[in-house]
Amino acid sequence: MPNYKITIKYDGTNFFGWQSQPEGNTIQDEISKAVSQISQEKINLIGAGRTDSGVHAIGQVANFSLSKELQLYKFQHSLNCILPKTISISKMEFCDDNFNARFDAKRRTYIYIIGKNKNPFYENYSYNYPQIRNINLELLKILTKKIIGEFDFTSFCKTNTETQNKICNVLNCVWRENKEFLIFKIDANRFLHGMVRTIVGTLLSAAFNKNDENYIEEILKSKNRIHAGEAVPSKGLYLYKVKY
């Protein structure tokens, strides 16, 4: 059975996230329906990351198998014609029969975009954070370095997560600044439910309150969500890239 790998971009504003849910309106549901409409087969669509409601993607990856081989260019074009305007298949390719978009991923990269000024054109795609002018960027970078490494990130994930293993290896995280935005980029082998948004919210709060670098270490060691900061809104978060 041919195994297809697709790279996906989507505006998650009006979706309940990636993963299929009883109430519907998810990215996984929309793509699965489109593929089935073209191929006349039901598929099992496997995504690299289960993005939450309102979260966007620039480089989400998924795979599915079909009983027959279809022409890639024509298949991709047909999918993009059927899918909502807020979902796009940017790349489609054949992959190894055993390839699994979720379990074969070695590194996932997310970015979080913070707007320095209120801008109606970016309202659904960034978080307007007025306090940003009162934050020392160098202190923010120092605090951020304490997140890098292999830790138990229980303090930074949602309390109702079903995942038992909460150890993640954060390979890198940096801040970049331009005239319009402050952008946070983080790479890790895996992420927990709500982890990136909680990390960003905690770092911003710590820098705003001028906490020292030990503050982040203490939150990690506590393994208790109550000690971390408030999560930032989902609209500024993007699944940027997945590496295999």
Side-chain angles (χ1 to χ4, degrees), residues 153-166:
F153 279 89
T154 299
S155 297
F156 292 93
C157 74
K158 291 188 177 181
T159 54
N160 61 350
T161 182
E162 297 176 357
T163 306
Q164 297 300 314
N165 175 18
K166 296 182 177 64

Side-chain angles (χ1 to χ4, degrees), residues 112 127 158 194 196-202 225 228-234:
Y112 193 89
Y127 172 42
K158 291 188 177 181
V196 179
R197 294 196 290 124
T198 304
I199 286 175
V200 174
T202 302
R225 176 63 182 87
E230 184 178 349
V232 288
S234 59

Side-chain angles (χ1 to χ4, degrees), residues 90-109:
S90 58
K91 187 177 181 180
M92 188 168 191
E93 56 195 307
F94 291 112
C95 56
D96 186 84
D97 291 349
N98 297 318
F99 175 78
N100 184 294
R102 180 183 178 190
F103 295 116
D104 289 344
K106 303 299 182 185
R107 176 187 296 200
R108 296 165 175 85
T109 302

Side-chain angles (χ1 to χ4, degrees), residues 7 35 57 139 141 147 209 226:
T7 303
V35 172
L139 174 59
K141 291 178 178 178
I147 295 294
N209 292 309
I226 198 171

Side-chain angles (χ1 to χ4, degrees), residues 112-119 123 126-136 180 182 204 208 232-233 235:
Y112 193 89
I113 300 177
I114 298 170
K116 294 181 179 181
N117 303 291
K118 184 178 180 181
N119 189 323
E123 175 59 29
S126 64
Y127 172 42
N128 181 36
Y129 185 69
Q131 297 95 322
I132 200 69
R133 294 179 179 81
N134 299 316
I135 287 181
N136 183 319
E180 290 281 344
L182 184 62
L204 290 174
F208 179 78
V232 288
K235 63 182 181 178

